[in-house]
Amino acid sequence: MKRLVKVVWFGYDSDPTGMSARNRTRFDHPEFEYRDLSFPAIRMSSGKYAKDPGEIWEVWGDAKLKSYLTQQGL
């Protein structure tokens, strides 16, 4: 990856497992610049809030998620 990219974007959940994965990757690979995607609170049809990017995609679909990611700088 070092030959191909300089910036790595994280789209992990904001739960302890996601935070651990971010921290471990940053520690193990300090040669990259890292950026975190932020995701808004999206209410699903069940009334619960989306807990991860996959559930946001289920609510928004491809076009809206693509537009949001583009606005984030991705």
Side-chain angles (χ1 to χ4, degrees):
M1 238 171 62
K2 292 178 195 178
R3 295 182 308 157
L4 302 173
V5 299
K6 294 180 181 168
V7 178
V8 174
W9 287 81
F10 289 125
Y12 290 115
D13 298 358
S14 294
D15 62 8
T17 303
M19 296 301 290
S20 175
R22 280 187 193 95
N23 293 338
R24 189 174 52 252
T25 302
R26 285 184 169 125
F27 180 80
D28 291 343
H29 301 283
E31 65 273 17
F32 298 107
E33 178 182 338
Y34 294 98
R35 296 191 183 143
D36 290 306
L37 290 172
S38 61
F39 292 101
I42 303 296
R43 190 179 299 268
M44 298 171 47
S45 61
S46 66
K48 295 180 181 180
Y49 285 95
K51 65 176 173 36
D52 59 39
E55 288 183 348
I56 292 173
W57 169 79
E58 288 178 19
V59 175
W60 280 357
D62 290 336
K64 189 169 182 178
L65 183 58
K66 179 181 177 183
S67 175
Y68 181 78
L69 294 175
T70 300
Q71 291 172 9
Q72 292 285 311
L74 191 63

